[in-house]
Amino acid sequence: MVSLKTEDLTPVELQNYLQYAIAPRPICFASTIDAEGNINLSPFSFFNMFSTNPPICIFSPSRRVRDNTTKHSLENVLQVKECVINIVNYDMVQQMSLASTEYAKGVNEFEKAGFTMLKSDLVRPPRVAEAPVQFECVVNEVISLGDHHGAGNLVLAEIKVIHINEAILDENGRIDQHKIDLVARLGGDWYCRVTNDNLFKVAKPLAKLGIGVDRLPHSVRFSKVLSGNDLGMLGNVEHLPSDEEIDLISTHTEVKEVLDATIGDTTNRERELHELAKKFLHNGAVELALKVVLL
């Protein structure tokens, strides 16, 4: 493993390592306005939500690594403490990228990138009509992290109004993760798209107390077949099955086939049972898989 001290890296080198490793990052497409009424629209991938009550998002218009200058968005929120955070989806990603061009002060990126300005209900900056979700925010605070090349400026934006395109809602009025078609920022010119093919669920252990990987037998914890993800799923069950439940699983058709084919061959039996358990895990049958590996 390569180990690097950040103090030995240039800002450009450090930025490269960080942005490639800390990814994907959601994109804050922020519209702001200065005291004279000049509108700015710019994307930031140093962005996330940090509180639900109050609803706070933070984005960071960092000082430019190249020449240490500040961005118009930062100057604007220091003058007019309001912004709109527009969520970016795939249909608008190329226009969003165009809006990141360093146009001169006073140039409206809405017009340059071909976006539609939509009047906000509460704040002065306009919304991006094409964005599937728009957050009208007041800026509670701007925290400078330094005055050197690449130093961040944390904009603490409190969400006051949420606008959602009805086309991305499910039958219960909630945002459908399959419909919103989000994109995220990676390193360099790289982005990723959240499509149906790469969506998956991980059961949250909040509603129950998982037994933990440490409760699994040694042969399971150090299996040559089961991955760390597999062990994580097994360790998330609430309790180990009883001996009777484990014995009963031997009558399962696929399990019985493995047992019959490996009589007297304990090494291959364990491997094949673990492979079968892995198959069950990938199909979501966690409790069944656990019984198989405990045989």
Side-chain angles (χ1 to χ4, degrees):
M1 177 171 284
V2 176
S3 298
L4 306 170
K5 290 185 177 180
T6 57
E7 63 186 26
D8 296 335
L9 301 173
T10 67
V12 172
E13 291 171 331
L14 187 54
Q15 176 178 259
N16 183 276
Y17 284 121
L18 293 177
Q19 292 188 352
Y20 272 81
I22 304 174
R25 302 182 302 280
I27 301 167
C28 164
F29 199 23
S31 50
T32 59
I33 194 168
D34 68 11
E36 286 71 46
N38 295 305
I39 295 168
N40 184 268
L41 180 64
S42 185
F44 301 94
S45 69
F46 292 0
F47 161 66
N48 219 311
M49 57 177 286
F50 288 82
S51 173
T52 301
N53 187 22
I56 301 290
C57 286
I58 298 178
F59 67 96
S60 179
S62 300
R63 303 178 74 92
R64 293 184 179 91
V65 172
R66 180 183 67 253
D67 56 12
N68 202 27
T69 56
T70 57
K71 298 179 180 179
H72 298 145
S73 297
L74 174 62
E75 297 164 7
N76 288 358
V77 296
L78 290 172
Q79 294 179 26
V80 178
K81 297 187 180 303
E82 300 173 345
C83 66
V84 177
I85 295 175
N86 304 277
I87 300 301
V88 179
N89 67 1
Y90 184 75
D91 286 344
M92 55 189 290
V93 67
Q94 295 290 348
Q95 289 173 277
M96 178 275 300
S97 179
L98 177 58
S100 69
T101 304
E102 294 179 8
Y103 293 110
K105 178 75 172 176
V107 173
N108 189 335
E109 287 84 1
F110 274 90
E111 297 173 355
K112 286 293 185 182
F115 284 117
T116 306
M117 289 192 295
L118 197 60
K119 182 175 171 49
S120 297
D121 293 347
L122 186 67
V123 300
R124 289 179 59 188
R127 297 178 275 143
V128 176
E130 291 79 4
V133 181
Q134 306 134 18
F135 299 127
E136 294 189 31
C137 306
V138 296
V139 175
N140 292 344
E141 188 177 2
V142 179
I143 302 173
S144 172
L145 300 181
D147 57 6
H148 301 295
H149 296 244
N153 295 275
L154 306 185
V155 178
L156 279 66
E158 182 173 349
I159 301 170
K160 294 295 186 179
V161 184
I162 303 174
H163 304 275
I164 307 173
N165 188 325
E166 293 180 352
I168 67 168
L169 298 178
D170 63 18
E171 61 276 7
N172 298 314
R174 297 182 178 180
I175 293 175
D176 188 326
Q177 202 69 80
H178 295 271
K179 294 179 180 179
I180 191 170
D181 201 10
L182 293 171
V183 292
R185 196 74 168 84
L186 305 173
D189 292 337
W190 291 100
Y191 287 76
C192 64
R193 180 182 184 183
V194 183
T195 64
N196 290 339
D197 291 339
N198 59 37
L199 279 171
F200 62 94
K201 290 184 176 182
V202 176
K204 287 189 177 182
L206 300 178
K208 59 185 180 181
L209 188 64
I211 61 171
V213 173
D214 61 325
R215 291 281 306 280
L216 300 173
H218 182 277
S219 61
V220 177
R221 296 202 312 273
F222 298 96
S223 170
K224 295 181 179 180
V225 174
L226 300 173
S227 68
N229 281 334
D230 296 331
L231 297 179
M233 285 188 279
L234 293 173
N236 195 37
V237 300
E238 293 184 81
H239 54 78
L240 291 170
S242 66
D243 291 340
E244 291 77 14
E245 290 175 311
I246 296 172
D247 290 340
L248 187 60
I249 201 64
S250 62
T251 62
H252 185 285
T253 302
E254 291 181 82
V255 176
K256 190 174 185 305
E257 288 177 358
V258 171
L259 296 177
D260 290 344
T262 57
I263 295 174
D265 187 352
T266 55
T267 301
N268 281 328
R269 170 171 287 187
E270 180 178 281
R271 177 184 55 78
E272 292 189 27
L273 286 174
H274 285 195
E275 289 176 350
L276 181 59
K278 190 178 188 74
K279 171 187 170 183
F280 290 153
L281 285 170
H282 289 184
N283 290 330
V286 179
E287 293 186 2
L288 177 58
L290 180 59
K291 294 171 186 176
V292 170
V293 296
L294 293 177
L295 269 174

